[in-house]
């Protein structure tokens, strides 16, 4: 897995250094290659499809003057599509007050995701097992990484889900318990929104750092102003030793 990451990165450094300066075009290319590697890690680490946590939601109804409580249990869940994460906006260098490159930013997106749960609804003496299918219309992410000059590597500082597209839920097989559909849909939509946000800002951020950590940028020293052998070098500035 690590050797695959390294192979792509060598290619990438070639293309970035071929540019005369810190061109944002080559930066787009660099980010694309980083995201290609993140996609591979997401799949290799078992996050596409990713298992969904078991969950349950309660409900109640009054039957002949008596309040009855029921429960809908969701299990065997999975979500597919996280590995479609890609750069969707221009990557840009971040610069400090002296115009020295100190990071990169980009907009990322996850494409359409699909999910599934088996739903067991229990109410009075009813216990239908239903099928719950979800379609999630993508997600957008704001990404920033800062340049760790001492190690000459980027490190993610912000990986924030800024938008999750519409989520449609289709439940079949509830039979007489069809009246709980809305309760289950509201519950599972909220569950998916927080699950997707958490997994991107947690797991996907960690995997992105794993990729960035494998990229030694020393060869770009003159462009981005870092050099492992000489960690304090800055472009256009005398070297402090
Ligand atoms: C989820 O629920 C199923 C069915 O009850 C059970 O077999 C499984 O062990 C549960 N998984 C977890 C992670 O609790």
């Amino acid at each position: 897995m690590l050797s695959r990451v390294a192979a792509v990165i060598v290619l990438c450094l070639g293309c970035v250094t071929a540019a005369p300066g810190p061109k944002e075009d080559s930066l787009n290319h660099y980010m694309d290659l980083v995201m290609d590697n993140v996609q591979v890690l997401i799949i290799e680490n078992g996050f596409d499809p990713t298992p969904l946590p078991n969950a349950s939601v309660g409900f109640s109804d009054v039957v002949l003057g008596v309040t009855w409580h029921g429960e809908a249990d969701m299990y065997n869940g999975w979500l597919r599509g996280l590995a479609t994460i890609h750069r969707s906006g221009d990557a840009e260098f971040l610069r400090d007050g002296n115009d020295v490159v100190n990071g990169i930013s980009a907009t990322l997106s996850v494409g359409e995701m699909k999910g599934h749960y088996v739903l067991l609804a229990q109410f009075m003496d009813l216990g239908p097992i239903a099928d719950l299918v979800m379609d999630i219309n993508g997600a957008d992410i704001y990404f920033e990484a800062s340049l760790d000059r001492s190690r000459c590597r980027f490190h993610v500082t912000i990986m924030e889900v800024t938008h999750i597209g519409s989520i449609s839920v289709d439940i079949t097989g509830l039979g007489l318990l069809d009246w709980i559909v809305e309760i289950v849909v509201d519950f599972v939509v909220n569950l998916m929104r927080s699950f997707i946000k958490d997994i991107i800002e947690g797991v996907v951020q960690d995997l992105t750092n794993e990729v960035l950590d494998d990229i030694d940028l020393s060869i770009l020293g003159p462009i981005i102003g870092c050099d492992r052998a000489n960690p304090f070098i800055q472009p256009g500035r005398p070297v402090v030793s």
Side-chain angles (χ1 to χ4, degrees):
M1 141 167 109
L2 292 185
S3 58
R4 188 174 327 187
V5 171
V8 175
I9 281 133
V10 169
L11 265 176
C12 154
L13 289 180
C15 70
V16 178
T17 42
K23 281 271 201 63
E24 321 260 313
D25 262 6
S26 48
L27 199 59
N28 279 343
H29 198 68
Y30 162 81
M31 257 329 276
D32 289 342
L33 290 165
V34 169
M35 296 322 294
D36 284 352
N37 281 288
V38 171
Q39 292 180 358
V40 170
L41 288 194
I42 286 174
I43 291 169
E44 284 186 349
N45 285 278
F47 294 103
D48 196 357
T50 187
L52 292 173
N54 285 354
S56 78
V57 58
F59 53 88
S60 61
D61 196 19
V62 178
V63 179
L64 300 176
V66 178
T67 302
W68 293 79
H69 295 277
E71 191 177 275
D73 298 318
M74 281 148 264
Y75 58 96
N76 268 0
W78 52 257
L79 176 73
R80 200 179 284 280
L82 279 176
T84 61
I85 191 166
H86 60 281
R87 180 184 62 80
S88 53
D90 278 340
E92 284 167 19
F93 278 121
L94 301 171
R95 293 180 165 83
D96 67 13
N98 297 319
D99 215 29
V100 174
V101 171
N102 64 1
I104 53 176
S105 70
T107 307
L108 311 175
S109 295
V110 175
E112 193 175 339
M113 291 167 272
K114 285 186 185 297
H116 181 263
Y117 266 121
V118 174
L119 183 72
L120 169 61
Q122 290 172 294
F123 185 73
M124 300 178 79
D125 58 350
L126 301 170
I129 293 179
D131 218 35
L132 187 156
V133 176
M134 299 169 271
D135 266 291
I136 301 122
N137 196 13
D140 296 325
I141 300 142
Y142 177 71
F143 166 90
E144 258 185 41
S146 66
L147 180 62
D148 176 348
R149 241 181 213 102
S150 66
R151 298 182 59 238
C152 211
R153 279 159 168 80
F154 284 119
H155 186 85
V156 181
T157 44
I158 303 177
M159 185 99 164
E160 190 192 345
V161 174
T162 54
H163 175 78
I164 296 175
S166 58
I167 300 180
S168 71
V169 180
D170 200 23
I171 303 174
T172 49
L174 277 179
L176 287 173
L177 294 186
D178 238 13
W179 56 273
I180 69 166
V181 162
E182 204 174 318
I183 296 164
V184 174
V185 168
D186 282 353
F187 174 81
V188 85
V189 164
N190 285 330
L191 180 73
M192 292 319 295
R193 287 190 182 278
S194 64
F195 180 84
I196 290 168
K197 183 174 166 64
D198 289 350
I199 199 164
I200 290 174
E201 295 180 358
V203 168
V204 177
Q205 170 165 343
D206 289 347
L207 294 176
T208 306
N209 270 327
E210 215 174 288
V211 172
L212 293 176
D213 224 46
D214 265 351
I215 309 180
D216 183 352
L217 297 163
S218 301
I219 192 169
L220 293 179
I223 298 175
I224 59 171
C226 84
D227 177 353
R228 242 180 349 158
N230 218 332
F232 301 109
I233 194 172
Q234 298 210 325
R237 269 150 208 278
V239 175
V240 184
S241 58

